[in-house]
Amino acid sequence: MSVAVDPMIDKRLLVTGAAGFIGANFCHHWLRKRPRTTLVALDALTYAGNRHNLEGLGQHAGFRFVQGDINDAPLVERLMTDHQLNVVVHFAAESHVDRSIHDPDAFIQTNILGTHNLLRVAKSLWLDGPQGRIPHRFHHISTDEVYGTLGPQDPPFREETPYAPNSPYAASKAGSDHLVRAYQHTYGLSTTTSNCSNNYGPYHFPEKLIPLIIVNILHNQPLPLYGDGRQIRDWLYVEDHCRGIAAILDQGREGESYNIGGCNEWANIDIVLLIGQIMDELFASDPRWLQAYPQSAAAQGRNSADLIQHVRDRPGHDRRYAIDATKITRELGFQPAVDFPAGIRQTCLLYTS
């Protein structure tokens, strides 16, 4: 029988990948809502992790940052024991599809072996320790890419959609999802999983589409679009994603998966055009922008859309993702709150401040 975690349990969190894009936003969100709780932020600080993303959290007595690898079992066990942690929120992952195509080894090491290491340590402490089973939760953050690709008229992904990953990245995340499920089913570890759509917002590493387009407009660089640019993604503001994860931690049923989506499908080319329009409006509304970014398209007398450049499509590029978030809405009352054009405008302002 699936049961919800008791919301009154004193949650003491280990957040992996805490200095990355979504992990950092979650740490800020959680401590803003629960400033007295214990939160240990673990991150290896590889290229996509930035310690500065966690600035300001040191004011919370229960916050601690540790640089380390999720594959380091003694470190993970020591942190969980010393701080009596009873919740893992597992963001740490290699996540860029292009990188997975060129170098899949790192994705297997982090996404599969790293997840398994965390599960082993959690089982040993929460199920097999001298106190026997103690109240706990292992929450695993996954992606909609594990479901594969959709045709133009296909219904959005549901939690029951069969897995069909098409890139080494997606396959590694699918493998980690299955490991989490197996530890729940075989050992009785209390787990939940969330599969989210594409996120955007503060702290986003600029290899991803939205921040890349913003930065390139500011520096008058080409705006690369794979193929015809008609690939469709469902987009979710990162703060909304954090709200969804918090709802699962408070109310989610043990052993369940929840899709967190924005109900917000956009083709890549339309997103680039929207960002270009917003950036052009911002430059036109305040001459200080022209002074701050003299190399920008606007300062050169060009529209941002003039910088669009179609490039060769990447191998096995999925055509469409879309999330059906009915389950998390029905069970936990979650709905995205941030309007996409407004969220994009706010994101443009963040990257230029």
Side-chain angles (χ1 to χ4, degrees):
M1 176 180 173
S2 294
V3 296
V5 71
D6 184 351
M8 300 307 293
I9 288 175
D10 178 24
K11 298 183 182 68
R12 304 172 65 86
L13 275 59
L14 174 68
V15 179
T16 71
F21 167 41
I22 306 176
N25 276 282
F26 176 80
C27 290
H28 283 280
H29 173 85
W30 186 266
L31 290 172
R32 188 165 56 250
K33 300 293 184 180
R34 300 166 173 86
R36 296 182 185 82
T37 54
T38 296
L39 190 157
V40 177
L42 178 64
D43 200 291
L45 295 184
T46 56
Y47 78 96
N50 189 332
R51 180 70 175 84
H52 294 296
N53 291 346
L54 300 171
E55 283 183 353
L57 296 184
Q59 65 180 315
H60 298 282
F63 175 79
R64 182 186 175 194
F65 173 76
V66 177
Q67 182 176 351
D69 192 332
I70 59 172
N71 279 293
D72 185 345
L75 171 63
V76 173
E77 183 171 353
R78 185 169 65 252
L79 292 175
M80 292 178 66
T81 301
D82 290 351
H83 298 276
Q84 299 181 314
L85 306 179
N86 58 7
V87 176
V88 168
V89 188
H90 179 34
F91 293 95
E94 297 285 345
S95 65
H96 192 45
V97 174
D98 287 358
R99 289 178 182 266
S100 81
I101 292 170
H102 299 296
D103 180 20
D105 292 3
F107 290 74
I108 304 303
Q109 182 69 30
T110 298
N111 299 355
I112 296 181
L113 298 181
T115 299
H116 185 236
N117 184 65
L118 292 171
L119 289 164
R120 286 194 302 112
V121 173
K123 174 181 176 294
S124 71
L125 296 178
W126 295 340
L127 301 181
D128 304 333
Q131 302 177 58
R133 183 186 180 93
I134 63 173
H136 65 274
R137 178 58 56 89
F138 188 109
H139 182 69
H140 176 58
I141 286 82
S142 188
T143 172
D144 56 2
E145 297 193 38
V146 299
Y147 298 121
T149 189
L150 292 169
Q153 304 304 318
D154 289 339
F157 300 129
R158 301 184 64 191
E159 288 80 2
E160 299 80 16
T161 300
Y163 277 26
N166 289 322
S167 70
Y169 161 61
S172 69
K173 290 298 291 183
S176 65
D177 292 6
H178 291 318
L179 282 170
V180 172
R181 182 182 184 279
Y183 266 71
Q184 162 77 31
H185 182 79
T186 302
Y187 304 114
L189 194 71
S190 177
T191 70
T192 44
T193 296
S194 55
N195 298 79
C196 71
S197 53
N198 283 33
N199 282 214
Y200 70 101
Y203 313 130
H204 209 171
F205 193 75
E207 69 184 356
K208 300 300 179 72
L209 176 67
I210 288 174
L212 175 68
I213 296 304
I214 295 171
V215 170
N216 282 14
I217 287 173
L218 293 174
H219 295 91
N220 199 28
Q221 297 296 311
L223 310 182
L225 273 173
Y226 282 126
D228 62 4
R230 301 307 307 178
Q231 301 87 359
I232 293 173
R233 302 293 183 260
D234 177 33
W235 289 91
L236 177 70
Y237 194 65
V238 67
E239 178 72 10
D240 281 336
H241 186 191
C242 295
R243 289 176 45 246
I245 295 168
I248 294 169
L249 291 176
D250 284 339
Q251 307 170 56
R253 290 184 292 132
E254 177 183 325
E256 294 293 318
S257 295
Y258 294 90
N259 284 348
I260 307 178
C263 303
N264 178 50
E265 294 183 51
W266 281 69
N268 287 346
I269 190 167
D270 294 330
I271 292 174
V272 174
L273 290 170
L274 174 64
I275 294 172
Q277 175 187 335
I278 291 172
M279 294 292 283
D280 290 344
E281 290 172 356
L282 291 172
F283 272 96
S285 66
D286 191 337
R288 289 175 297 181
W289 282 62
L290 299 175
Q291 297 169 7
Y293 299 98
Q295 71 277 39
S296 65
Q300 302 297 321
R302 305 174 66 187
N303 292 324
S304 297
D306 296 339
L307 299 174
I308 292 175
Q309 184 177 101
H310 291 268
V311 298
R312 183 178 180 180
D313 209 351
R314 70 185 177 203
H317 199 175
D318 290 338
R319 193 66 175 171
R320 173 176 169 245
Y321 305 143
I323 283 281
D324 182 341
T326 300
K327 179 178 178 179
I328 194 171
T329 299
R330 182 183 66 245
E331 292 191 10
L332 309 183
F334 168 82
Q335 288 185 326
V338 178
D339 171 75
F340 187 63
I344 289 292
R345 183 181 179 84
Q346 179 61 30
T347 303
C348 290
L349 291 169
L350 286 169
Y351 278 86
T352 54
S353 59

